[in-house]
């Protein structure tokens, strides 16, 4: 009986190890890139004062398998201090290589959030960089994000019961499409998001839809409705979800009216929702980055 129990424990250990080793975390060292460090009096490279927070986090890249067995590239940032941390899933913007998460995105934006006590994880999505497949702009790429929940479940320092999502531009659409699939997200922030892909003031987007969205030319109305943030809101699984809509009034890509449409739809469906408009900001809210990061941290500290 003791021998049988010992074998059982070994088997369980192997299963757990295999599940964790399915993602091989490859550490990224910002200090190896130009501009992050200076030499101290002893000639050692140390982070510049404005990058001191990077001393408190680890940054990783990893590969993982999609729901249809493609190799997808992901990234993870965690606090170095041992503990159990809430998780933020970051949903990138753009399409294909445009908007892919870069070293500056990891170091200058997401690491500042992680350093305040969060694990930040995200996917480059299919068809980008080191990921296989083709971007479907709200199609099978949603499954690439859904697989991140499984990875979170096997991170020993992740509190898998406290998960938030942060989506920028196209990532806002990703937020709402994921929220139809799972009730595990407690709080969601959408920045510069499109309420509906049928953007009459951006006719050039239709060429992109033709290129990326399967069956778009056969049934454009159906395919755009499948990807509509507005139409997704009544179908959100977690009815207690907290929402934060952020937009720049001078957004040159996504008209600020989209923020009001999302806010009104969320409120009319009885979701707790906050709206923040930066009056002098563009699509990237580039002139208010520090305040934006503070707003993100404060919101997730309160609701995760």
């Amino acid at each position: 009986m003791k021998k049988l129990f010992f074998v059982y424990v070994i088997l369980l250990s192997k299963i757990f190890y295999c599940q964790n080793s399915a993602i091989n975390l490859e550490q990224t060292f910002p200090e190896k890139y130009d501009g992050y460090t200076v030499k101290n009096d002893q000639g050692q490279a140390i982070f510049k004062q404005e990058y001191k927070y990077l001393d408190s986090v680890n940054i990783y890249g990893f590969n993982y398998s999609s729901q249809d067995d493609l190799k997808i590239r992901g990234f993870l940032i965690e606090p170095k201090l041992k503990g159990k941390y809430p998780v933020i899933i970051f949903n990138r913007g753009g399409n294909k290589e445009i908007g892919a998460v870069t070293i500056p995105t990891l170091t200058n934006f997401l690491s500042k959030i992680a350093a305040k006590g969060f694990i930040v994880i995200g996917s480059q999505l299919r068809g980008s960089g080191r990921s296989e497949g083709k971007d479907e702009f709200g199609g099978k790429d949603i499954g690439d994000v859904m697989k991140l929940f499984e990875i979170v479940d096997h991170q020993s320092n992740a509190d898998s019961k406290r998960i938030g999502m942060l989506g920028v531009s196209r990532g806002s659409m990703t937020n709402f499409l994921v929220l139809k699939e799972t009730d595990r997200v407690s709080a969601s922030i959408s920045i510069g998001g499109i309420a509906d892909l049928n953007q009459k003031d951006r006719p050039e987007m239709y060429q992109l839809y033709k290129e990326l969205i399967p069956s778009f030319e056969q049934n454009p109305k159906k395919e755009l409705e499948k990807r509509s943030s507005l139409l997704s809101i009544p179908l959100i699984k977690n009815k207690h979800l907290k929402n934060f809509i952020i937009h720049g009034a001078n957004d040159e890509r996504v008209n600020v009216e989209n923020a009001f449409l999302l806010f009104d739809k969320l409120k009319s469906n009885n979701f707790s929702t906050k709206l923040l408009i930066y009056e002098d900001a563009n699509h990237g809210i580039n002139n208010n980055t520090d305040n934006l990061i503070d707003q993100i941290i404060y919101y997730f500290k309160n609701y995760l």
Side-chain angles (χ1 to χ4, degrees):
M1 184 65 184
K2 285 185 179 179
K3 184 177 180 181
L4 182 61
F5 176 76
F6 178 74
V7 171
Y8 180 65
V9 170
I10 292 293
L11 286 173
L12 280 180
S13 299
K14 284 185 177 180
I15 291 170
F16 183 75
Y17 173 76
C18 289
Q19 286 171 329
N20 277 275
S21 64
I23 58 161
N24 180 29
L25 294 175
E26 306 158 20
Q27 190 162 5
T28 297
F29 298 95
E31 56 267 36
K32 293 184 177 180
Y33 295 85
D34 290 339
Y36 289 98
T37 62
V38 292
K39 294 287 181 67
N40 63 12
D41 293 339
Q42 288 74 45
Q44 300 168 316
I46 60 171
F47 284 116
K48 292 178 180 178
Q49 189 61 41
E50 62 266 36
Y51 292 115
K52 284 292 185 183
Y53 58 88
L54 291 174
D55 271 325
S56 66
V57 298
N58 292 319
I59 303 173
Y60 302 100
F62 63 88
N63 297 321
Y64 68 102
S65 296
S66 68
Q67 293 176 341
D68 51 349
D69 295 323
L70 295 176
K71 184 178 77 173
I72 306 297
R73 189 67 176 170
F75 52 89
L76 183 147
I77 311 171
E78 63 178 12
K80 287 182 180 178
L81 191 65
K82 287 185 178 181
K84 203 86 165 174
Y85 297 100
V87 178
I88 299 170
I89 294 174
F90 178 71
N91 290 320
R92 53 158 285 198
N95 60 87
K96 299 177 289 184
E97 298 297 338
I98 300 169
V101 175
T102 61
I103 291 296
T105 307
L106 294 170
T107 56
N108 298 5
F109 182 50
L110 297 178
S111 286
K112 287 183 178 179
I113 298 170
K116 294 299 182 180
F118 300 96
I119 291 173
V120 179
I121 189 171
S123 175
Q124 293 283 26
L125 305 178
R126 60 188 57 211
S128 170
R130 294 164 68 177
S131 295
E132 295 176 342
K134 181 181 178 182
D135 190 351
E136 294 189 4
F137 207 74
K140 290 181 180 177
D141 44 285
I142 301 305
D144 299 343
V145 178
M146 291 298 298
K147 287 286 285 189
L148 296 177
F149 289 93
E150 297 178 24
I151 295 170
V152 167
D153 286 340
H154 295 292
Q155 292 299 121
S156 61
N157 60 344
D159 187 341
S160 59
K161 293 183 179 179
R162 293 194 290 162
I163 300 178
M165 278 201 308
L166 171 61
V168 175
S169 192
R170 175 254 186 92
S172 174
M173 173 186 71
T174 304
N175 276 12
F176 287 107
L177 297 183
V178 168
L179 291 170
K180 291 196 302 182
E181 303 297 325
T182 179
D183 64 356
R184 295 186 61 184
V185 179
S186 302
S188 173
I189 299 178
S190 296
I191 303 172
I194 299 174
D196 196 300
L197 292 186
N198 190 19
Q199 297 284 292
K200 295 180 175 59
D201 55 343
R202 293 190 70 193
E204 74 277 7
M205 290 296 292
Y206 287 86
Q207 187 56 47
L208 180 72
Y209 300 159
K210 288 179 185 179
E211 179 187 349
L212 297 184
I213 298 176
S215 304
F216 175 77
E217 293 189 85
Q218 289 74 30
N219 200 333
K221 183 175 183 291
K222 177 183 176 182
E223 294 303 323
L224 293 186
E225 286 181 350
K226 281 164 58 175
R227 291 161 171 81
S228 168
S229 296
L230 283 180
L231 295 179
S232 298
I233 287 171
L235 304 176
I236 291 173
K237 286 200 169 182
N238 181 4
K239 301 305 179 184
H240 301 289
L241 178 76
K242 308 296 183 183
N243 295 274
F244 192 4
I245 306 299
I246 303 174
H247 216 105
N250 295 329
D251 192 323
E252 71 284 9
R253 295 183 186 176
V254 180
N255 192 290
V256 68
E257 182 62 27
N258 285 267
F260 297 109
L261 290 171
L262 290 171
F263 177 78
D264 290 342
K265 189 72 170 180
L266 286 162
K267 293 296 286 185
S268 67
N269 280 269
N270 300 313
F271 285 105
S272 172
T273 310
K274 179 181 178 181
L275 176 66
L276 173 62
I277 305 296
Y278 285 96
E279 294 299 333
D280 58 344
N282 62 5
H283 186 59
I285 313 185
N286 298 321
N287 58 342
N288 289 278
T289 302
D290 289 342
N291 182 264
L292 175 65
I293 291 171
D294 288 343
Q295 293 281 348
I296 291 167
I297 292 167
Y298 182 79
Y299 196 78
F300 282 135
K301 284 284 187 183
N302 275 284
Y303 292 112
L304 289 185

